[in-house]
Amino acid sequence: MKSSILIKKKDKFFVEDVCIDSIIEKFATPTYIYSKKRIVDNFKNLESAFKNVDHLICFAVKANSNLAILNLLAKNGAGFDIVSGGELRRVIAADGDPKKIVFSGVGKTSEEIKLAIENNILAFNIESEDELTRIQEIAKSLSKQASISIRVNPDVNANTHPYISTGLKENKFGVSEESALNLYKKAKTMDSILIKGIDCHIGSQITDLKPFEDSVKKLIALIDKLEVEGIKIKHMDIGGGIGISYEDEKAIPFDAYAKAVTTLTKGRDFKIL
């Protein structure tokens, strides 16, 4: 097993000074063992990397929807990125703050949208004009306003596996920069829509900083165009996708990731998600 949280002492394996044999005796196998310390340390290290800017770290619930882990992250101040009503309910059950939730994904149902609006989530990440219209209609029927970001496809090559690349124009996620500008203009005219942010996610398992830098540059250029149209962006959701070492990959250090992002956004008046 390749993991630095696993320690061998006198022919026995331990995680955080707990003998794995004792866990197996109590719960049998197969079983999953998580390191609370490692999860909290990773979260706090990423928090520390962005300490000099206004930010919110949102854990992708699809990565692990275990209620104990969601609760642990919520207690440490995390926000959450969800892709379904079920994930929204899990975050709420784990005492997560709905006002720190962003709702991503291409398949949001009307029922899920209604549930999210009723719980006053931070923002929907909009993937299409049809979705924007549907959210407007549902929010209006509830006599509420829905906060939105628009997911921009920046046409950036993440240099990762094609199956987990989401930021090229041939990928099905998000809208083009030109379409995004028109969508923001349309959203501005809607009485039940609040424009909050801009969003992108270019892929997973990324081990090179340049794709992140390229996508942030494109979002900033679009934010400047929106400013001219009188549209104020309050947060930039830069997605995630920092790769880990499965075999010989060299992971991007949190500090280097944060420095690249904050250097490009220095002096800007918006929160980084």
Side-chain angles (χ1 to χ4, degrees):
M1 185 182 293
K2 184 181 179 182
S3 172
S4 59
I5 67 169
L6 195 65
I7 300 171
K8 189 175 182 180
K9 300 177 184 177
K10 296 181 180 178
D11 297 323
K12 291 186 180 294
F13 288 101
F14 291 76
V15 174
E16 288 190 28
D17 295 325
V18 177
C19 181
I20 288 180
D21 287 354
S22 67
I23 296 173
I24 292 171
E25 288 170 8
K26 185 173 182 179
F27 298 104
T29 62
T31 190
Y32 289 93
I33 302 170
Y34 300 103
S35 167
K36 175 181 177 180
K37 183 179 186 303
R38 174 58 60 87
I39 292 169
V40 172
D41 284 351
N42 281 347
F43 180 79
K44 288 185 175 179
N45 287 340
L46 188 53
E47 280 270 58
S48 178
F50 281 95
K51 64 184 177 183
N52 294 323
V53 296
D54 189 14
H55 70 276
L56 174 65
I57 297 170
C58 295
F59 177 74
V61 177
K62 62 179 173 285
N64 192 321
S65 60
N66 181 297
L67 289 178
I69 289 175
L70 298 182
N71 175 254
L72 176 64
L73 288 162
K75 284 179 177 177
N76 280 276
F80 296 91
D81 180 286
I82 64 169
V83 294
S84 71
E87 289 186 357
L88 173 57
R89 291 186 178 94
R90 291 189 78 82
V91 171
I92 292 171
D95 292 329
D97 183 354
K99 293 183 178 64
K100 292 182 177 180
I101 291 175
V102 288
F103 197 157
S104 302
V106 297
K108 306 177 188 76
T109 67
S110 295
E111 180 185 345
E112 290 172 329
I113 291 168
K114 180 174 181 287
L115 179 67
I117 292 172
E118 289 173 337
N119 280 280
N120 300 309
I121 67 166
L122 175 59
F124 291 93
N125 286 335
I126 302 288
E127 298 262 2
S128 68
E129 184 174 356
D130 287 345
E131 183 183 343
L132 175 63
T133 301
R134 189 161 70 253
I135 291 175
Q136 155 71 14
E137 291 170 351
I138 294 170
K140 194 173 184 70
S141 73
L142 296 171
S143 299
K144 298 191 75 168
Q145 287 186 308
S147 298
I148 64 106
S149 304
I150 292 173
R151 179 173 178 176
V152 179
N153 185 322
D155 194 22
V156 167
N157 188 350
N159 298 318
T160 187
H161 193 285
Y163 289 177
I164 51 176
S165 173
T166 58
L168 288 167
K169 62 183 179 182
E170 60 260 33
N171 299 137
K172 64 182 181 292
F173 301 100
V175 299
S176 68
E177 295 169 68
E178 183 181 353
S179 297
L181 187 58
N182 292 328
L183 269 185
Y184 275 111
K185 290 178 182 178
K186 183 171 183 177
K188 188 182 177 185
T189 69
M190 294 177 165
D191 57 1
S192 295
I193 294 292
L194 286 175
I195 296 173
K196 283 288 182 71
I198 191 167
D199 167 56
C200 80
H201 190 293
I202 57 173
S204 300
Q205 191 52 20
I206 300 169
T207 55
D208 179 12
L209 278 174
K210 190 175 185 302
F212 290 118
E213 293 171 330
D214 290 345
S215 61
V216 169
K217 287 175 184 176
K218 289 199 172 186
L219 289 190
I220 289 174
L222 185 52
I223 287 172
D224 288 340
K225 291 178 182 177
L226 293 171
E227 289 271 8
V228 174
E229 300 293 334
I231 297 170
K232 175 71 174 174
I233 296 299
K234 296 182 179 178
H235 74 245
M236 176 193 282
D237 186 339
I238 57 176
I242 298 176
I244 64 170
S245 179
Y246 282 106
E247 295 178 354
D248 299 318
E249 302 94 336
K250 188 175 180 181
I252 300 170
F254 287 157
D255 287 347
Y257 173 64
K259 183 179 180 181
V261 173
T262 56
T263 297
L264 291 170
T265 58
K266 187 175 181 179
R268 298 280 177 164
D269 184 25
F270 52 67
K271 178 178 284 191
I272 295 173
L273 270 56

